Amino acid sequence: MRNPIDDERYYIEEPFRYFRVGEENVGTRDLANTELLSVLPGQHYSMTEKTLRLEFSGNDEKAKAMISISIRVDASPGCGGIVWPAGQILSNYLINKGSNFLQGKCVVELGSGTGLVGLIAAKLGASKVWITDQAPLLDIMQQNLSMNSLQCNCVVAELDWGTSIPAAIPSPDVILAADCVYFEPAFPLLVQTLDALATERTQVFFCYKKRADKRFFGLLKKKFTWAEIMDDPNRNIYNRESITLIKLSKIV
Ligand SMILES: C[S@@+](CC[C@H](N)C(=O)[O-])C[C@H]1O[C@@H](n2cnc3c(N)ncnc32)[C@H](O)[C@@H]1O
């Protein structure tokens, strides 16, 4: 079995390894036989458009939710230009919570990368969503925002962790973050930004893949408490792949 560090190195070298194999997809040999595939959305990749169509089939019986989204992927601006499993798992969780869950809420996504999770929040009826990341990712987020025609309730903004929160970004009802714990020098910066944005009323949904994260949680516990989200039917499957979904609460 590869150790987690080698695993990450391998991922960076071959970012498309997490793409699911499908009828018309480039696919990947890596995930082809893993259980994790069963909890990821259907994926159709167009090599010419560099666009991934993700089809989430939620459990919301009333809405019979089938949410599709097109995401342009491009590894050149950095690891955020790829759709990561944690982002798909958090998106799936939000969809399965049903159509009322984010209705009317103000949402900020941190380290959005392609913008996937925030765009799903916008599709689910959040009143306003801010998809944020560092400067090199802004263009791909903007393309994905336009491609999905979500400009009426979603905006792209630069938000570099550890810097002051842009005046235009309000204190949100919900913060989303997927796969943002992987680079140790950024740990204090991420905690600082979470602390600056959240109040005791903010719901923070945080999906991460377990890596060398002890120091991150050591810093986080000074500002937040957390609990694993237990009401996700897919939890046991992604837990076995070292992915965990937690909800943070700010300590007052
Ligand atoms: C592994 S990617 C995850 C992307 C996306 N959330 C997903 O799940 O597909 C981590 C993201 O965190 C962003 N990031 C890393 N350091 C950051 C920082 N200091 N400030 C803002 N974003 C940062 C990266 O640019 C990247 O988009």
Side-chain angles (χ1 to χ4, degrees), residues 176-194:
L176 304 170
D179 224 331
C180 289
V181 182
Y182 62 99
F183 181 54
E184 190 155 348
F187 292 175
L189 307 178
L190 178 54
V191 173
Q192 193 181 326
T193 293
L194 285 166

Side-chain angles (χ1 to χ4, degrees), residues 2-251:
R2 262 193 305 266
N3 77 41
I5 301 295
D6 288 345
D7 197 49
E8 287 316 300
R9 205 168 290 138
Y10 178 62
Y11 173 75
I12 299 296
E13 282 163 12
E14 199 178 338
F16 291 92
R17 62 182 277 233
Y18 281 127
F19 284 13
R20 181 176 173 162
V21 174
E23 316 80 56
E24 58 197 66
N25 295 346
V26 283
T28 167
R29 45 193 183 279
D30 247 54
L31 271 188
N33 298 313
T34 75
E35 213 186 359
L36 189 61
L37 268 182
S38 66
V39 296
L40 298 183
Q43 302 185 0
H44 305 274
Y45 181 68
S46 158
M47 196 108 62
T48 43
E49 312 277 320
K50 282 190 163 182
T51 297
L52 187 62
R53 182 125 195 107
L54 296 172
E55 288 173 352
F56 295 87
S57 37
N59 300 336
D60 184 347
E61 272 306 304
K62 268 189 254 141
K64 276 276 173 237
M66 161 59 106
I67 292 205
S68 299
I69 191 159
S70 292
I71 297 290
R72 190 171 159 80
V73 287
D74 177 5
S76 59
C79 66
I82 301 301
V83 169
W84 287 60
Q88 298 175 55
I89 285 163
L90 180 52
S91 299
N92 214 16
Y93 177 73
L94 298 175
I95 291 166
N96 282 336
K97 289 301 282 179
S99 39
N100 291 332
F101 189 58
L102 291 175
Q103 205 83 43
K105 297 264 175 24
C106 175
V107 176
V108 172
E109 188 193 1
L110 300 176
S112 308
T114 59
L116 170 68
V117 186
L119 292 170
I120 290 289
K123 271 186 178 270
L124 289 169
S127 60
K128 185 88 173 183
V129 181
W130 300 82
I131 48 176
T132 73
D133 208 300
Q134 293 176 306
L137 276 307
L138 300 183
D139 183 49
I140 197 167
M141 288 197 286
Q142 195 63 55
Q143 289 181 48
N144 287 329
L145 175 60
S146 305
M147 194 161 37
N148 290 284
S149 306
L150 288 164
Q151 295 94 326
C152 58
N153 63 337
C154 185
V155 288
V156 171
E158 182 175 353
L159 177 45
D160 212 339
W161 307 332
T163 64
S164 45
I165 307 293
I169 300 183
S171 181
D173 302 303
V174 176
I175 298 173
L176 304 170
D179 224 331
C180 289
V181 182
Y182 62 99
F183 181 54
E184 190 155 348
F187 292 175
L189 307 178
L190 178 54
V191 173
Q192 193 181 326
T193 293
L194 285 166
D195 184 41
L197 270 177
T199 68
E200 68 274 19
R201 291 182 307 281
T202 315
Q203 301 190 75
V204 186
F205 295 97
F206 198 91
C207 192
Y208 70 101
K209 181 165 166 77
K210 194 161 177 48
R211 301 182 177 100
D213 52 24
K214 205 170 156 201
R215 179 156 175 257
F216 174 75
F217 285 100
L219 295 166
L220 190 69
K221 76 175 181 209
K222 297 180 184 147
K223 303 286 184 184
F224 290 86
T225 58
W226 59 87
E228 188 171 352
I229 287 179
M230 307 299 279
D231 67 343
D232 188 342
N234 298 327
R235 186 174 71 94
N236 289 338
I237 295 174
Y238 57 71
N239 280 177
R240 282 198 280 276
E241 301 280 340
S242 308
I243 297 175
T244 307
L245 178 53
I246 56 179
K247 189 172 168 187
L248 315 184
S249 305
K250 185 156 174 172
I251 298 169

